[in-house]
Amino acid sequence: MSTNGVEKVGVLIVGAGPTGLGAATRLHQLGHPNWLLCDASEEAGGLACTDVTPEGFLFDMGGHVIFSHYQYFDDLLDTAVGQGDGAWNTLERVSYVWLKDRWVAYPFQNNISALDKEDQIKCLTGVVEAKVANTVAQGKPKSFDEWILRVMGPGIADLFMRPYNFKASDQLTTVCCASLCVLLRVFVWAVPTTMMQCDWLGERVATVDVDRAIANVINNKEDAGWGPNAVFRFPLEGGTGGIWKAVAKLLPPERQRYRTTLASIDKEKQIARFEDGRQVAYDALISTVPLDTTLRWLGKPEWADGLQHSSSHIIGIGIRGHCPHGLKCWLYFPEDNCPFYRTTVFSHYAKKNCPADDAKLPTLCKADGSDPEPGSEAAREGPYWSLMFEVSESQYKPVPQDPVQLGGSAGTWPEVVRDTLLGAVATKLVQPGDEIVSIYHRRLEHGYPTPSLGRDAVLKEALPWLRKSNVWSRGRFGAYKYEVANQDHSLMLGVECVDNILFGSEELTLNHPNIVNPRKNMEIKYSREPVMPTLLSGGKPVSVQPAN
């Protein structure tokens, strides 16, 4: 319906990532008569999209894998993508930390037996000291750093936890590139552990079993496989983005609008204005726009300034040859000999993440960035494998990315790409002479929402303030809660948000991460066909407030 050039909908969803699609699938399932999903991109996926290089290599926007706390999520993905071995690879998480020229199984704190004796002693002494100190400590830890010291001690803190979570020395890492030295901010969170809270941790960081740690050292035992994603699945084709495109296909196409960028929100009139000039009035707005962006639009910069995020560089390389890394999945790098903090052996996840072995591709450059040998740059067959790197950048001090010339036909790329190639050589992920046949780079301004010390104070004020104007800000950055920012969480934030709008139901995932994360949540079920097609035909959703 349109009045005076303003389109009118019941529920407007901005953002077709997992949260927006979760909201849309729930509205469709409940038979809601009037909703619209809009996104600035050409297709669904959001931060869970997948890009394809001209050579045919696929790269996700980070190390995404599928594991779940929710039956709704599982059923939806099985409906969209398919079930079993015909649709998914099921993989065991094989993760390692590269430290002091050796692989240490993840989680690091369970595998200090792989370290040299001096570091073993430091780590074990620290673990015992931490256990003793924690028994007499008063109150909860006040920061992530205090939590690390209480649980793991100074040995593990200094050797791995602090440098990995804030990958820097004096906040800067020097990366040598031939005759050039470049200063890069390269760390996971972009803030020191002393400036982060610890309420977000939950199941994301393994604690230390002192007896187990000592026994593993004595028995020289590798102890891996911890965590909710010890076994995960990945689609056979299309990457992670293919999942969400398939979910979008379950929804009515006339309710989806792409290449439509939100420009502003009039929260008093309840009108969303888009860059193409369209205006959409709504009863309820579900926004996955980063909360800090929304708050600046609406004149609350002081709240926006209280939210911190890190930006991400996603860098992918396609390599000719056979992968030398066996069953390794994703790998961690706390030291300063490379700019990336995490690398995924992306070719291991699915064969179709790389071109077919008989595809003929030219060599762009060697792994060290130099020109290929004369004559070897001609197009030749594979096989091929790939690596995907993640480099984190501070939102407050972005690094100028001056272009550099790589060898052969690789062209001009930002310095971070060159540094990543050299870091891959330095950490023995690739050999200097390996043939690079594809290079990918994309920068995401909003990469990770930082669980900073001041975050919860902002959320406590900002989310209810928006809610009074019928704006539900949800999702990885819409709600800014890293502890519920995986794909399954993100989807359910959208599902539960719809139930809150329509029926006033509690949003467990948003408000109670410690309840949803330790268990499988079976309460909400997904079905492809609308289950209550006439329930919502009349009457107003219970949680929508009268327009101002």
Side-chain angles (χ1 to χ4, degrees):
M1 183 175 66
S2 179
T3 304
N4 298 325
V6 179
E7 188 176 357
K8 173 66 176 176
V9 299
V11 181
L12 175 62
I13 307 165
V14 176
T19 300
L21 290 169
T25 60
R26 188 62 168 170
L27 287 164
H28 181 60
Q29 178 188 15
L30 295 175
H32 193 283
N34 189 14
W35 56 270
L36 178 66
L37 172 66
C38 298
D39 195 279
S41 300
E42 295 185 358
E43 56 190 5
L47 289 175
C49 70
T50 300
D51 284 345
V52 184
T53 72
E55 298 82 13
F57 288 87
L58 276 62
F59 293 106
D60 283 354
M61 300 303 103
H64 302 308
V65 297
I66 297 299
F67 62 100
S68 171
H69 300 84
Y70 307 89
Q71 192 62 46
Y72 187 105
F73 179 86
D74 297 337
D75 293 343
L76 173 61
L77 267 58
D78 284 346
T79 302
V81 179
Q83 299 184 43
D85 296 341
W88 303 90
N89 280 330
T90 301
L91 304 162
E92 291 187 14
R93 170 177 175 154
V94 180
S95 295
Y96 285 85
V97 177
W98 180 255
L99 184 73
K100 296 188 176 182
D101 290 325
R102 72 187 72 186
W103 291 115
V104 180
Y106 184 89
F108 180 88
Q109 47 270 42
N110 288 353
N111 290 284
I112 54 181
S113 59
L115 305 175
D116 58 40
K117 293 300 181 184
E118 182 178 349
D119 287 332
Q120 287 180 10
I121 292 170
K122 289 180 181 178
C123 290
L124 286 180
T125 301
V127 166
V128 173
E129 290 175 354
K131 185 174 181 64
V132 173
N134 196 41
T135 59
V136 297
Q138 300 294 315
K140 296 171 59 177
K142 295 182 176 61
S143 69
F144 184 27
D145 195 76
E146 186 176 337
W147 182 92
I148 293 170
L149 289 174
R150 280 201 196 184
V151 172
M152 302 180 188
I156 294 175
D158 291 336
L159 196 60
F160 175 62
M161 292 298 291
R162 282 169 170 162
Y164 177 74
N165 284 283
F166 183 68
K167 189 178 175 181
S169 176
D170 296 328
Q171 302 184 10
L172 291 167
T173 298
T174 302
V175 181
C176 294
C177 303
S179 60
L180 184 67
C181 280
V182 183
L183 293 177
L184 292 174
R185 293 180 65 87
V186 284
F187 35 84
V188 176
W189 291 112
V191 296
T193 52
T194 53
M195 295 174 62
M196 293 172 61
Q197 58 162 285
C198 56
D199 290 341
W200 61 276
L201 289 163
E203 61 183 12
R204 287 183 176 271
V205 180
T207 56
V208 178
D209 182 325
V210 177
D211 295 340
R212 186 173 175 178
I214 294 172
N216 288 344
V217 170
I218 293 173
N219 296 318
N220 194 29
K221 178 185 176 182
E222 185 174 287
D223 188 358
W226 172 88
N229 52 11
V231 176
F232 63 92
R233 58 179 179 159
F234 196 87
L236 292 181
E237 55 184 308
T240 297
I243 299 171
W244 301 108
K245 287 189 282 186
V247 170
K249 288 180 180 178
L250 299 175
L251 300 167
E254 66 273 15
R255 298 282 182 89
Q256 302 177 65
R257 190 174 294 166
Y258 296 94
R259 295 181 291 277
T260 304
T261 303
L262 183 66
S264 64
I265 300 169
D266 186 328
K267 72 181 184 68
E268 280 74 30
K269 295 181 178 180
Q270 296 186 188
I271 294 177
R273 296 186 172 90
F274 295 86
E275 288 186 356
D276 61 6
R278 297 186 190 188
Q279 299 184 61
V280 179
Y282 55 82
D283 292 325
L285 171 61
I286 300 173
S287 173
T288 67
V289 173
L291 179 57
D292 52 318
T293 300
T294 300
L295 292 174
R296 293 187 195 283
W297 281 348
L298 299 179
K300 291 289 187 178
E302 68 278 11
W303 287 350
D305 289 344
L307 299 172
Q308 298 183 37
H309 69 270
S310 59
S311 302
S312 294
H313 291 270
I314 309 299
I315 298 153
I317 57 174
I319 310 137
R320 195 191 322 275
H322 292 280
C323 177
H325 298 298
L327 299 179
K328 291 185 176 70
C329 296
W330 63 92
L331 311 164
Y332 302 97
F333 298 86
E335 296 177 304
D336 60 4
N337 56 353
C338 63
F340 44 86
Y341 63 89
R342 182 168 62 184
T343 300
T344 301
V345 186
F346 204 54
S347 52
H348 175 53
Y349 286 5
K351 176 69 174 176
K352 290 188 177 180
N353 285 347
C354 294
D357 291 351
D358 59 1
K360 292 184 177 181
L361 297 174
T363 301
L364 301 182
C365 64
K366 292 182 178 180
D368 62 5
S370 62
D371 288 328
E373 299 294 337
S376 66
E377 67 274 13
R380 292 184 291 113
E381 294 184 347
Y384 304 102
W385 62 288
S386 63
L387 293 170
M388 182 178 66
F389 306 88
E390 296 170 76
V391 179
S392 190
E393 174 189 308
S394 167
Q395 71 184 100
Y396 296 117
K397 297 182 180 179
V399 181
Q401 293 295 317
D402 298 327
V404 295
Q405 188 72 30
L406 296 178
S409 59
T412 300
W413 290 89
E415 194 74 64
V416 67
V417 175
R418 176 68 172 269
D419 293 341
T420 294
L421 284 174
L422 294 177
V425 173
T427 56
K428 298 183 174 58
L429 287 169
V430 296
Q431 296 301 310
D434 284 348
E435 298 179 23
I436 307 300
V437 298
S438 184
I439 299 175
Y440 169 83
H441 173 236
R442 181 171 175 177
R443 182 184 180 275
L444 305 173
E445 170 57 35
H446 284 81
Y448 284 88
T450 305
S452 59
L453 290 174
R455 181 201 68 173
D456 287 354
V458 172
L459 297 182
K460 186 176 180 180
E461 291 190 272
L463 294 181
W465 179 75
L466 290 170
R467 168 70 182 74
K468 290 178 181 178
S469 297
N470 296 320
V471 177
W472 281 256
S473 186
R474 300 293 184 265
R476 183 180 181 92
F477 278 100
Y480 250 87
K481 287 194 172 183
Y482 177 70
E483 56 267 45
V484 283
N486 287 334
Q487 292 177 87
D488 61 329
H489 295 122
S490 296
L491 180 119
M492 294 307 294
L493 286 172
V495 171
E496 293 175 5
C497 175
V498 165
D499 285 1
N500 178 260
I501 293 170
L502 300 181
F503 313 120
S505 303
E506 175 73 15
E507 295 180 81
L508 280 178
T509 301
L510 176 71
N511 297 317
H512 303 286
N514 291 334
I515 292 178
V516 299
N517 279 335
R519 66 186 180 96
K520 191 77 171 185
N521 298 271
M522 311 290 289
E523 292 81 2
I524 305 179
K525 306 292 186 181
Y526 170 76
S527 63
R528 183 167 186 172
E529 298 302 323
V531 293
M532 296 181 287
T534 62
L535 176 67
L536 302 172
S537 59
K540 206 170 186 68
V542 300
S543 291
V544 170
Q545 304 297 317
N548 293 330

